[in-house]
């Protein structure tokens, strides 16, 4: 298996622009997670999907952030409008369940200027 | 709620030194315990795990033993290499996965 695939690997955008991050989980995994990692705040769970349904979005920082999982092999995290404080590395991870070991993608490094 | 506390870094060692990174946990039940490693520019990856008390997880020369009596899961390696430089995360899983804050390890030649 190719592992969790994320795109793009790097994104540089201007404040106010819409940003869409993409994730393809490992085939057969029914759980998908979006994380944000910064030096100041460490690794933060943003949202958790189970069987394509958002179960826990308590970590989504504000309404500018939204996530979808239209099918078992694809998820998006959208930020609209983006702000400089959104600059971070965003990781997608998948697993067989919420309490099982997670497999992380390589991350998307987002820079908002 | 469930939580993990790991020693603050950064940790700097010389090559071939002994490594210990402390991790303690708080849980209401019987969680599984994990160590993940994050190499520069990459996502986290599972290093080792233990699912019940007294289990020892091991991989790539790293070991950790699930100690229920001390609620600990310390990571050890007898002789570190420059290639071990990374950030190490302790984690527990009972109902969901909870990660520690991470400990940055730098190994110098």
């Amino acid at each position: 298996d190719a592992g969790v695939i994320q795109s793009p690997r790097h994104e540089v955008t201007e404040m106010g622009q819409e940003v869409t991050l993409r994730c393809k989980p490992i085939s057969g995994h029914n759980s998908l997670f979006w994380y944000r990692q910064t030096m100041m705040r460490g690794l933060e769970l943003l949202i958790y999907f189970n069987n394509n349904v958002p179960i826990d979005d308590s970590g989504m920082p504000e309404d500018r952030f939204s996530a979808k999982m239209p099918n078992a092999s694809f998820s998006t995290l959208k930020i609209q409008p983006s702000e400089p404080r959104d600059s971070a590395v965003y990781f997608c991870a998948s697993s067989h369940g919420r309490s099982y070991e997670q497999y992380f993608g390589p991350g998307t490094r987002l820079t908002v200027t | 709620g469930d939580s993990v506390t790991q020693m603050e870094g950064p940790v700097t060692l010389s090559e071939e030194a002994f490594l210990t990174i402390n991790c303690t946990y708080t849980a209401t039940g019987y969680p599984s315990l994990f160590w993940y490693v994050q190499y520069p520019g990459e996502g986290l990856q599972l290093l080792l795990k233990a699912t019940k008390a007294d289990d020892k997880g091991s991989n790539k020369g790293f070991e950790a033993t699930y100690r229920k009596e001390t609620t600990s899961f310390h990571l050890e390696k007898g002789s570190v290499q420059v290639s071990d430089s990374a950030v190490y995360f302790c984690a527990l899983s009972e109902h969901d996965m909870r990660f520690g804050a991470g400990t940055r390890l730098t190994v110098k030649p």
Side-chain angles (χ1 to χ4, degrees), chain B residues 10 17 23-25 28-29 38 40 42 45 50-51 64 72 77 81 108:
Chain B
C23 171
T24 57
Y25 68 89
T28 54
Q38 183 180 27
E42 299 183 11
Q45 57 184 273
T51 58
S72 65
K77 186 175 186 182
Q81 305 300 312
K108 297 189 173 181

Side-chain angles (χ1 to χ4, degrees), chain A residues 22-95:
Chain A
R22 296 172 176 80
C23 175
K24 176 178 169 55
I26 291 173
S27 177
H29 284 183
N30 62 1
S31 294
L32 184 138
F33 308 82
W34 282 100
Y35 291 90
R36 178 172 67 177
Q37 187 178 41
T38 62
M39 290 294 291
M40 290 294 294
R41 301 174 68 93
L43 190 68
E44 302 173 277
L45 176 65
L46 300 178
I47 188 168
Y48 156 61
F49 290 87
N50 183 255
N51 292 325
N52 312 337
V53 176
I55 302 299
D56 181 1
D57 65 354
S58 59
M60 295 287 263
E62 46 196 282
D63 291 345
R64 298 185 297 107
F65 285 69
S66 62
K68 294 181 179 180
M69 192 165 186
N71 57 62
S73 59
F74 184 65
S75 177
T76 60
L77 178 67
K78 184 177 294 186
I79 308 172
Q80 165 63 20
S82 58
E83 296 183 4
R85 60 192 169 119
D86 301 331
S87 298
V89 181
Y90 291 81
F91 290 103
C92 176
S94 69
S95 73

Side-chain angles (χ1 to χ4, degrees), chain B residues 7-108:
Chain B
M7 64 185 283
E8 290 188 19
V11 175
T12 302
L13 296 173
S14 297
E15 206 164 23
E16 299 184 2
F18 184 85
L19 169 71
T20 299
I21 300 178
N22 291 337
C23 171
T24 57
Y25 68 89
T26 302
T28 54
Y30 305 94
S32 295
L33 301 175
F34 305 81
W35 278 100
Y36 286 79
V37 59
Q38 183 180 27
Y39 298 105
E42 299 183 11
L44 281 69
Q45 57 184 273
L46 181 67
L47 179 60
L48 54 84
K49 67 178 181 181
T51 58
K52 61 183 188 297
D54 300 325
D55 269 2
K56 177 186 285 187
S58 62
N59 186 23
K60 299 181 180 180
F62 291 89
E63 293 183 339
T65 301
Y66 190 143
R67 302 285 189 200
K68 192 171 187 299
E69 63 276 13
T70 55
T71 62
S72 65
F73 192 55
H74 305 321
L75 182 68
E76 297 182 336
K77 186 175 186 182
S79 176
V80 293
Q81 305 300 312
V82 173
S83 57
D84 294 327
S85 297
V87 181
Y88 292 82
F89 293 85
C90 185
L92 72 78
S93 175
E94 190 170 15
H95 308 291
D96 57 7
M97 188 73 70
R98 302 288 176 98
F99 290 92
T103 302
R104 182 176 298 277
L105 169 67
T106 300
V107 180
K108 297 189 173 181

